[in-house]
Amino acid sequence: MLRFAIATLLASTVTADNGLTVSMYENGALSGTPSKTYTITSLDKVSESGVGSISITGTLTFPILGWHNFTCEFAQTSLAMVWVDGHEVCTDAKYLENWSNPKLRGEIDNPIMVREKKDLAFRVHLYRNSSIPASTATTFSMKWSLNGSSSITSIPLSAMTTEMSPSEQEREALQKEVQRGWGNWNQHSILDIVKLPDSAVLTTMLCNKNDDCITDTRIELDRGNDCYVRVGMYAGDQSYTQFYFGQSKTVSGNVSVEYTSTETNDLTMLITPQTVEQGHKIRIAGRFAWWRSGEYTIVSGNEVTFQGTGFDKFTMYIQGNTTINGNFIDISLDNGPITISTLKSTTVQSARSDLTAAHETRMNYLRTTFKDRAEVALAIEASAMWNLVYVPLENGPLFPVSRSWNFVHDAATTDFDYVIFDWDNLFASLLGALTNKKLGYSNFIQAMKSKTSDGFVPNYAAGGMKSQDRTEPPVGAKVLEELYNRYGDKWLVELVFDDLLDWQAFFLRERLLEPLNLVCLGSYNVVAAKTHEGSTTAGMQGGRWESGLDNSPMYDGEFFNSTTHQMMLYDMGMTSMLAQEAQSLAYLADQIGRPEKQMLLDRAAHFRALLADNLWDEKIGTFSNKFPNGTFYERISPTTFYPLQVRAATDEQADSMVTNWLLNKDRFCISPTGDSKGNGPDCYWGLPSIQAGDPAFPPLGYWRGYVWGPMAQLTYWSLKQYNTTIVNQGRKAMTNQLTSLMMSQWNRNRHICENYGPHQNTTDCTGTQFYHWGALTGMITLMEEQYW
């Protein structure tokens, strides 16, 4: 809090000048203190030579509202992006194989709509092409056309301000701070140990005597990955990491890899063979990631050096029986463990001692902080940290859902693999912030700033490309409320408050279904319609994707209006979340002194009344979706509980819902004692994604009966709004039962599941095997027991 107060004071005393701020860096990572900083008064041409990277920052003020288009030109860059208020409006797209056509399928944010807020943060990141002579300049130019005009004009000096807002300055400082240290920063492979900001990559491969090698791997045994991985601790402060890998189709060995790093960026790694045959070896290689330049040198079989352009050289020392093999070093495992370290004095014994101490220090922190729930906290921490990545296509580190998911289609190298999913990533901010506030914040910011030209956070975003036709469940304000109540940082609220208002406005503008004007689902790409590039709608399936519940039985059938681009169904879940968001935003408005508090409270009350008056199904005693003709569509999922988030039910109705639905062994299967007692083997773990009496449940499949973390979190928040004996019993029973489900998979497989099987005998994940939001089934217990 003190740091925030000082930063705000300093920022508020600076008088910003007209122009934009150019910062030049000798290194290729926009890192450290700039070698030169100056102000420019025009974007018609920015030209610099002999530098590694360049940033241009400030604020653009738009003279009028409307749709605005940008035209950019780049020369001699290896990578370049331009963001206006988080919208990537231009890129050289050299992270794509087909980089001559960066505007793919109408998916990027150009043009953008300026509806209310005219002063928008401006960022340009230019990474120099290191293959050109130092005397050859890297250049950039940018112009705009306002409100749909065909006239492309220079951006006037009067529209430029050298400073960003205080909250944007806080964001910039935080995201630069967390881009540091050793970690598994590269999404594609956990065998890449990467040092930031240098971008040095040490790859540790496992090979047999025939030179068959495991060269890269993710955690999941799917999507083309045939190597078995079992992860262990990944400390939130990045002080200790451990995992096992091996047993592929060609390599039978299995090793443990663990490493510890210090605040001074020293690394100590110990690789211990578990079951390996004679002749197995670790093969190491070095390089630099993301097109960044540097020199990797094999000095001897026991010594290599890295020197990224503009960074200090560092040495890594190898203890073991080594052989230089071309560009690789092979280290025999025949004699037992080996070490790789930046410290020359490291031995196997000293490495083991250091690693044991680092592990125990972290465990002591978890035991002290979370007491008898330390193992649950360890699993939650791991769920986020094992998915922590950095990619320069984003302004800071983030938690993609899983290392197996990538939506940067046609990427030029796997270094650029990643994807942001709307509510998945927003929920991950809670998981990461449990033990590392700053990484949680960075992820939250990147998810929120992925918003589209039409003002909503998209279903997916990756490398500037987004699902411009659809959003997903709005949970950003509720997540932000949780983060604020835990840490109290007002600047984060100020940073994204308008983004959250824009998201609300999108629903009110595009997703209210007449005549009742409750929220519905839809699909329409306004950018594609304006640019005539790509498809304007994904129809009924686009609406299903927008629900986040891609194949839920709640949306079986075809009832999409191709004229209004809306699903013809009043949606209780989406309406409830929109109302909850308004309620959370009202609270946050009060915290930062914004005038919208009463308007937002009135909005929440309006939708609360609509839910209570129209979507309560008296016949079945719970909330249900409804067609505009007045017919209920009685396919009941946990979204039936979501209206409780805004107390749309009376206490008596809430008690009835918990008794007859949540605690019913034939519906949502939560045992009153929270231990699955009395449940049948098919709905043993509870809270399936469609109630067990639905005909879709027995065959199962994705959102058709599997158990999902986000449904657990939203149902928990819903039940938390009531304080009756019955609701309290049901809520506590649900948290215990679902946390037991999560820990059963964590303890057995070290997996955090995308979704979990409801059957008692489910031995592994029913979805992706390491997908962070599965840990929400443990997070609800920490919240219930006040560890959050």
Side-chain angles (χ1 to χ4, degrees), residues 25-32 52-54 125-127 176 179 196-199 290 292 309 311 390 392:
Y25 299 84
E26 297 297 330
N27 60 72
L30 300 171
S31 178
S53 52
I54 304 165
H125 290 177
L126 305 173
Y127 298 93
K176 284 201 170 191
Q179 293 175 38
L196 292 181
D198 311 47
S199 309
W290 308 296
R292 293 175 179 173
T309 299
F311 292 102
Y390 167 79

Side-chain angles (χ1 to χ4, degrees), residues 737-755:
Q737 196 162 306
L738 294 182
T739 298
S740 295
L741 168 61
M742 182 193 83
M743 293 305 293
S744 72
Q745 292 297 342
W746 174 255
N747 291 331
R748 181 184 296 117
N749 302 309
R750 285 297 188 261
H751 288 162
I752 297 293
C753 302
E754 179 189 12
N755 50 70

Side-chain angles (χ1 to χ4, degrees), residues 249-265:
K249 293 178 181 177
T250 57
V251 180
S252 60
N254 175 33
V255 299
S256 165
V257 178
E258 55 185 326
Y259 63 90
T260 183
S261 57
T262 67
E263 293 183 0
T264 57
N265 281 330

Side-chain angles (χ1 to χ4, degrees), residues 490-515:
K490 291 186 178 181
W491 71 265
L492 184 65
V493 180
E494 293 167 343
L495 178 71
V496 299
F497 191 86
D498 287 306
D499 301 319
L500 290 162
L501 283 180
D502 287 347
W503 201 359
Q504 288 255 310
F506 162 77
F507 277 101
L508 300 177
R509 187 174 63 247
E510 305 290 345
R511 295 293 189 265
L512 295 186
L513 179 62
E514 295 180 344

Side-chain angles (χ1 to χ4, degrees), residues 198 200 287-288 292-297 304-315:
D198 311 47
R287 64 182 182 91
F288 291 84
R292 293 175 179 173
S293 62
E295 185 174 342
Y296 169 70
T297 303
V304 298
T305 61
F306 290 86
Q307 184 165 23
T309 299
F311 292 102
D312 293 337
K313 179 189 292 187
F314 67 91
T315 303

Side-chain angles (χ1 to χ4, degrees), residues 392 544 619:
R544 294 186 185 107
K619 184 180 74 172

